Amino acid sequence: MRFSLSGFLIATAFALDFVEEDFLGARTNHNKRVAYTALRIGEKLNFKKEQLNDLVSYAILHDNGISEYVTNKLTRVSRENSENIIEHCIIGENNIKAYPFFDIEKNVIKYHHENYDGTGLYGIKGEDIPIKAQIIRFCDFIDNNFYLDKMCGDYRTEAIKEIKKEKGKLFSGEICDAFFEIIEGADYRLDIENEYIDLSLRRKIPKFYFDFMLEDIYEITSVFSNIIDCKSRFTKNHSAELAKKTSIMSDYYHYNSDTKIKLTIAATLHDLGKLAIPNNILDSPRKLTPYEFSIIEAHTYYTRVALSEIEGFEEITEWASNHHEKLNGNGYPYRKKAADLDFNSRLMGCLDIYQALTEQRSYRDSLDHESTMKIMNTMASEGYIDSEIVDDINIIFKK
Ligand SMILES: [Fe+2]
Ligand SMILES: [Fe+2]
Ligand SMILES: [Fe+2]
Ligand SMILES: [Fe+2]
């Protein structure tokens, strides 16, 4: 399948922005600003197109380990606190093993909090820190402390003064000088404004297309599944288990291998949009208020927004983001009806319900097969879900 690497990168940026939204209550585009600035610095340092692609990818992914780290802790940890904890660097480094970099480089994420003079989290010094990690450290630090989108007037003079103080200490001279050159132009500050950062990144990201086997694409998308499933301790393994079930049902329906893999990818990514939903709503032990439910409803919309960036993912996007639509029009977010929902969208919806009911939640224990089927049969008889699929699920998953 023709696979657009830049599209995938944009989808990744969306997904990681969602995590940011959950932490801060608002999307600030921090990951995108860091990525865009890193790219501009990479250009100044004469990076080749492939190296630039990798640099932007690492920059977008730099804090991918935060969500898993915070979920592993049972209490809430603020973003600032988790930023200074080594675990998010280790988790982040491990999560991206399957990511399609041109040149897989060790320790870029692991060392993204190292200082040039060796005073960072691991105490690595100077050129022992991979150059991409150094650039990300610089952009991350400047954005967190001086706001990259405010580089003009007195504010810029002040920032330059501060950065000069750190030149050779926290950061290498070469990176500081590249940044000073970049912020001389008004284009940089304008490109990076909230309204334009998306467009700027799309314009600048190197365009690459590959012919990949669907199996390889599945491997690549597994980068997301870990980040998604670690979002909440109640839904750990949810997407992975759903993927196993879609694969079993694909065999039952004698699907060819391409359709089976596409369906598995859709299952892996179906709850991608949950990254944007705060855990206190996702894990709420009580009934949700109508307002809270409207926030939950957004998750499949966000799944669609992110996945539709990836060329070649059209069917996968449909099957993944229709999973809460219902045949009678009572689903969400589009209130689609039977005629709009193809067989695999219906299948995904049914299997998601089966998977969710058989898992433990904050407000109830897991249900056994019989109790789950009872609920699903009622839903089918009331016109919510496909009764034939419900019968097939009963045949296949009955112990
Ligand atoms: Fe970090
Ligand atoms: Fe950051
Ligand atoms: Fe969902
Ligand atoms: Fe789900």
Side-chain angles (χ1 to χ4, degrees):
M1 192 180 95
R2 196 174 116 106
F3 183 74
S4 150
L5 195 56
S6 47
F8 184 70
L9 199 46
I10 296 277
T12 312
F14 268 111
L16 271 299
D17 265 5
F18 293 156
V19 178
E20 183 179 277
E21 174 158 325
D22 179 23
F23 273 103
L24 306 173
R27 205 167 304 160
T28 69
N29 292 315
H30 167 71
N31 296 317
K32 288 179 184 160
R33 275 197 303 279
V34 168
Y36 182 77
T37 311
L39 194 154
R40 295 285 300 261
I41 292 177
E43 281 179 338
K44 287 276 174 222
L45 302 186
N46 297 320
F47 276 33
K48 289 198 204 80
K49 201 176 155 196
E50 287 80 4
Q51 290 173 302
L52 285 176
N53 176 83
D54 286 356
L55 175 61
V56 183
S57 309
Y58 280 117
I60 285 174
L61 289 159
H62 76 276
D63 275 333
N64 82 79
I66 285 195
S67 145
E68 185 171 339
Y69 168 71
V70 173
T71 306
N72 288 345
K73 299 265 134 200
L74 293 178
T75 50
R76 201 87 176 118
V77 191
S78 75
R79 183 181 175 108
E80 294 86 86
N81 289 341
S82 36
E83 268 280 22
N84 288 316
I85 291 168
I86 230 162
E87 275 102 320
H88 89 279
C89 304
I90 302 169
I91 296 169
E93 175 87 19
N94 283 334
N95 272 349
I96 55 158
K97 293 225 161 81
Y99 198 89
F101 297 106
F102 279 94
D103 189 12
I104 300 160
E105 226 178 300
K106 271 196 180 155
N107 298 334
V108 175
I109 302 283
K110 189 172 165 192
Y111 292 158
H112 82 272
H113 282 277
E114 295 313 298
N115 296 329
Y116 200 67
D117 60 4
T119 56
L121 291 180
Y122 278 95
I124 314 288
K125 239 184 187 170
E127 298 314 315
D128 288 342
I129 311 165
I131 181 73
K132 295 188 182 83
Q134 290 185 42
I135 297 174
I136 292 166
R137 167 64 174 153
F138 176 86
C139 302
D140 189 40
F141 183 92
I142 304 301
D143 197 49
N144 285 333
N145 292 281
F146 301 107
Y147 308 107
L148 285 167
D149 51 344
K150 290 204 171 69
M151 291 297 157
C152 62
D154 291 347
Y155 196 86
R156 186 177 73 169
T157 316
E158 200 50 39
I160 291 176
K161 208 171 100 193
E162 291 300 317
I163 296 168
K164 276 187 175 157
K165 273 194 218 157
E166 300 299 348
K167 194 172 161 179
K169 292 182 191 162
L170 295 187
F171 319 116
S172 81
E174 192 186 25
I175 292 175
C176 297
D177 290 341
F179 183 69
F180 294 149
E181 264 185 61
I182 292 164
I183 57 172
E184 261 175 36
D187 63 319
Y188 169 77
R189 172 176 49 84
L190 298 169
D191 276 351
I192 213 156
E193 280 179 0
N194 269 328
E195 295 82 353
Y196 299 111
I197 183 66
D198 235 45
L199 289 172
S200 311
L201 208 51
R202 277 167 208 270
R203 196 174 62 230
K204 274 271 178 193
I205 281 180
K207 307 285 179 293
F208 288 106
Y209 290 94
F210 294 101
D211 261 325
F212 274 146
M213 303 283 288
L214 266 169
E215 285 87 343
D216 298 330
I217 295 176
Y218 174 59
E219 271 303 302
I220 294 170
T221 53
S222 69
V223 173
F224 285 132
S225 55
N226 209 19
I227 304 173
I228 300 167
D229 280 357
C230 286
K231 166 82 174 146
S232 158
R233 66 201 150 96
F234 291 103
T235 53
K236 260 203 161 163
N237 303 325
H238 172 75
S239 311
E241 288 301 319
L242 183 68
K244 278 187 205 158
K245 291 192 170 63
T246 52
S247 147
I248 293 169
M249 293 302 284
S250 297
D251 289 339
Y252 175 71
Y253 293 128
H254 302 294
Y255 283 175
N256 63 31
S257 80
D258 275 11
T259 310
K260 180 176 167 180
I261 299 173
K262 281 186 185 174
L263 204 55
T264 312
I265 296 175
T268 307
L269 301 177
H270 78 291
D271 274 337
L272 179 68
K274 274 200 181 160
L275 291 174
I277 314 299
N279 277 51
N280 59 1
I281 298 183
L282 282 181
D283 296 344
S284 171
R286 52 169 178 76
K287 199 175 182 299
L288 298 178
T289 64
Y291 172 70
E292 287 169 332
F293 191 73
S294 72
I295 293 174
I296 292 271
E297 280 187 333
H299 83 274
T300 39
Y301 175 81
Y302 292 138
T303 297
R304 185 180 292 277
V305 168
L307 295 187
S308 54
E309 291 292 338
I310 310 175
E311 257 180 78
F313 264 38
E314 290 74 16
E315 279 177 311
I316 293 171
T317 305
E318 280 307 309
W319 301 337
S321 32
N322 283 339
H323 72 271
H324 288 294
E325 300 292 348
K326 298 287 184 288
L327 302 179
N328 58 8
N330 285 332
Y332 63 82
Y334 293 99
R335 307 276 180 262
K336 287 188 177 184
K337 294 221 169 79
D340 310 314
L341 297 167
D342 69 352
F343 187 80
N344 286 335
S345 293
R346 297 172 186 210
L347 175 62
M348 189 69 71
C350 289
L351 285 174
D352 184 54
I353 297 171
Y354 185 87
Q355 184 56 40
L357 289 173
T358 52
E359 285 167 10
Q360 196 204 339
R361 287 290 180 270
S362 52
Y363 47 90
R364 62 157 170 81
D365 274 339
S366 58
L367 301 184
D368 61 15
H369 175 81
E370 265 60 45
S371 321
T372 303
M373 289 318 302
K374 217 174 139 192
I375 296 175
M376 290 182 71
N377 279 322
T378 309
M379 290 176 83
S381 67
E382 288 172 355
Y384 285 86
I385 53 178
D386 193 304
S387 59
E388 283 176 26
I389 295 176
V390 173
D391 290 344
D392 293 338
I393 288 178
N394 188 31
I395 294 168
I396 298 296
F397 297 109
K398 199 173 196 165
K399 296 270 150 50

